[in-house]
Amino acid sequence: MDLTATTSQLASTLADTVRLLPAKMYDPVLAGVLITADRDGVLVRGTDRERGVRLRCAATVHADGQVLVPAKPLAETLRALDAPQVRLVVEGARLAVRVPGARFALPLLEADLHPGVAEPPARAGEVDGPEFASLLSVVASVASRDDALPMLTGVRLRGGPNRPLSMVATDRYRLAIASLPWTGESEVDAMVPASLLVEAAKQAASAERVALHVDGDRAGLVWGDSGIVTSLLASTLPDERKLLPTTVDATVTVDADALAGAVRRVGLFSEGHQVVQLDLGDGDIRVHGGGQQVGEAEEHVKAEITGGRPSPAYQVRYLSDALKAFAGQQVTMAVQPGHRGTMFTSDGRLQYLVVPIRAQA
């Protein structure tokens, strides 16, 4: 195998492959990455048996071939280079990484012992790449990171031939729901690990179209000659429609950026659980917070308010994350009575529910 590639592109491909796979793998074969050089460039593949990654990178191939080399050392070597072009060439039992004035050599692993990277399951449909990545990044950020509650660490993907594709995630204190049109070819209802989806969506964001592949055990995203496949989570989320607002105490329409700025500044004067309170008035929202040790702050933000005049309180982090999802837009807040969650919406594609702090106590 012998190829020349743009250093930054190849380094990015290797870094993405490493990031999409588990950080620790004790099997040296699985800790390796398969590099295949062919007429289409270079294909980088890796797996831990639960998930498989394949990413394509442009390259000038001087001699076809395939090698298995340690993934992280290669990724770190490429990242450290500042030469614009890099050459990878097999030299005996080593893969040489060559740039002008320097040579680095990595040991070749037994490629015949590698299980290979499984092909994705049957195709279920196709979505717009940038829109999918944008909405998914918001939804997946809401998922729990507590592995003790695996059902909360995933994103539920659901759709069909005559229905839009919906994405749902929650950590019990927040809930995000997004929907987007797609060319659905079959019914889909799958729980996919959120952390993997976020990274995969980043890679697919530049693709015009992204195909979703799903069966009873696995799900995959495929764009061009690149893709990722993963095992599904065993459990799923309850029906999110039961959590949508049914009785609304007050409806607020406000500039998301203006309210986010006020929350950020007032939040500097909160302590403990980092809470701010929103007092809904006639034509504005009074954002206030404080404590004995840090002092107090308040700021007024213009808003259109109908209904009652409740004063819900939220954790600064959760409220800021919700408003960030609607940056640059007018956001509508449906405030439910008591301690039920507040739903944030804008154009209908994204719904983001935040539970008031008192409901979390």
Side-chain angles (χ1 to χ4, degrees), residues 258-316:
L259 184 55
V263 170
R264 182 179 66 253
R265 290 183 288 270
V266 172
L268 298 174
F269 288 80
S270 61
E271 60 183 8
H273 289 294
Q274 299 288 300
V275 176
V276 294
Q277 185 165 317
L278 307 186
D279 293 339
L280 306 188
D282 295 325
D284 71 2
I285 303 171
R286 176 177 173 254
V287 185
H288 67 98
Q292 293 183 347
Q293 302 298 320
V294 297
E296 59 186 30
E298 68 174 54
E299 188 168 335
H300 292 259
V301 180
K302 292 182 179 181
E304 296 180 9
I305 301 171
T306 59
R309 296 294 183 266
S311 298
Y314 309 92
Q315 284 196 14
V316 172

Side-chain angles (χ1 to χ4, degrees), residues 147-350:
D147 291 333
L149 298 169
M151 66 178 291
L152 299 181
T153 64
V155 174
R156 185 177 187 179
L157 302 178
R158 187 166 49 179
N162 300 311
R163 293 182 289 117
L165 180 69
S166 70
M167 301 178 284
V168 184
T170 183
D171 62 358
R172 293 180 296 172
Y173 307 131
R174 299 173 295 171
L175 170 74
I177 307 170
S179 63
L180 70 164
W182 76 318
T183 58
E185 300 161 9
S186 61
E187 291 292 326
V188 168
D189 190 353
M191 279 292 290
V192 185
S195 58
L196 180 64
L197 272 179
V198 170
E199 291 297 333
K202 289 178 182 177
Q203 312 310 320
S206 60
E208 182 178 350
R209 305 292 292 177
V210 175
L212 176 63
H213 294 245
V214 180
D215 62 17
D217 301 309
R218 301 178 302 151
L221 298 180
V222 176
W223 58 100
D225 198 20
S226 298
I228 183 166
V229 178
T230 181
S231 297
L232 300 179
L233 295 175
S235 55
T236 190
L237 296 175
D239 190 345
E240 71 279 358
R241 290 169 291 191
K242 297 179 180 179
L243 301 176
L244 299 180
T246 54
T247 303
V248 176
D249 194 4
T251 301
V252 181
T253 301
V254 63
D255 183 276
D257 295 341
L259 184 55
V263 170
R264 182 179 66 253
R265 290 183 288 270
V266 172
L268 298 174
F269 288 80
S270 61
E271 60 183 8
H273 289 294
Q274 299 288 300
V275 176
V276 294
Q277 185 165 317
L278 307 186
D279 293 339
L280 306 188
D282 295 325
D284 71 2
I285 303 171
R286 176 177 173 254
V287 185
H288 67 98
Q292 293 183 347
Q293 302 298 320
V294 297
E296 59 186 30
E298 68 174 54
E299 188 168 335
H300 292 259
V301 180
K302 292 182 179 181
E304 296 180 9
I305 301 171
T306 59
R309 296 294 183 266
S311 298
Y314 309 92
Q315 284 196 14
V316 172
R317 177 168 65 91
Y318 291 163
L319 182 55
S320 296
D321 286 348
L323 293 168
K324 181 181 178 181
F326 299 94
Q329 305 176 57
Q330 291 283 311
V331 64
T332 298
M333 301 167 54
V335 183
Q336 299 188 82
H339 296 159
R340 298 194 66 189
T342 297
M343 181 66 78
F344 296 74
T345 58
S346 181
D347 59 6
R349 289 284 177 88
L350 177 66

Side-chain angles (χ1 to χ4, degrees), residues 29-30 47 49 111-118:
V29 172
L30 294 181
T47 184
R49 298 184 189 277
D112 292 341
L113 299 179
H114 195 275
V117 179

Side-chain angles (χ1 to χ4, degrees), residues 12 17 29 35 43 46 60 62 73 81 86 104 110 126 133 174 178 192 225 242-243 249 256 261 292 327 338-339:
S12 177
T17 303
V29 172
I35 300 177
L43 181 64
T60 299
H62 313 295
L81 300 177
V86 63
F104 311 89
E110 290 289 339
E126 191 177 75
R174 299 173 295 171
V192 185
D225 198 20
K242 297 179 180 179
L243 301 176
D249 194 4
Q292 293 183 347
H339 296 159

Side-chain angles (χ1 to χ4, degrees), residues 13-210:
T13 300
L14 264 296
D16 292 340
T17 303
V18 170
R19 190 162 49 246
L20 287 165
L21 292 170
K24 293 183 179 180
M25 286 192 284
Y26 299 102
D27 185 334
V29 172
L30 294 181
V33 61
L34 280 168
I35 300 177
T36 304
D38 55 30
R39 63 181 182 180
D40 295 321
V42 59
L43 181 64
V44 179
R45 294 176 294 159
T47 184
D48 68 341
R49 298 184 189 277
E50 290 292 320
R51 64 181 66 170
V53 179
R54 57 179 68 221
L55 300 178
R56 173 70 72 174
C57 179
T60 299
V61 176
H62 313 295
D64 292 357
Q66 177 174 284
V67 296
L68 177 68
V69 294
K72 288 185 178 179
L74 178 58
E76 291 171 355
T77 300
L78 293 171
R79 184 179 60 182
L81 300 177
D82 54 11
Q85 298 283 314
V86 63
R87 184 180 179 186
L88 302 187
V89 56
V90 173
E91 298 177 352
R94 298 282 189 270
L95 176 67
V97 180
R98 290 184 171 274
V99 294
R103 172 185 177 272
F104 311 89
L106 298 170
L108 298 180
L109 304 175
E110 290 289 339
D112 292 341
L113 299 179
H114 195 275
V117 179
E119 293 294 321
R123 173 182 160 125
E126 191 177 75
V127 295
D128 178 271
E131 184 179 26
F132 176 68
S134 176
L135 289 173
L136 180 59
S137 66
V138 175
V139 174
S141 69
V142 170
S144 174
R145 294 174 175 80
D146 184 359
D147 291 333
L149 298 169
M151 66 178 291
L152 299 181
T153 64
V155 174
R156 185 177 187 179
L157 302 178
R158 187 166 49 179
N162 300 311
R163 293 182 289 117
L165 180 69
S166 70
M167 301 178 284
V168 184
T170 183
D171 62 358
R172 293 180 296 172
Y173 307 131
R174 299 173 295 171
L175 170 74
I177 307 170
S179 63
L180 70 164
W182 76 318
T183 58
E185 300 161 9
S186 61
E187 291 292 326
V188 168
D189 190 353
M191 279 292 290
V192 185
S195 58
L196 180 64
L197 272 179
V198 170
E199 291 297 333
K202 289 178 182 177
Q203 312 310 320
S206 60
E208 182 178 350
R209 305 292 292 177
V210 175

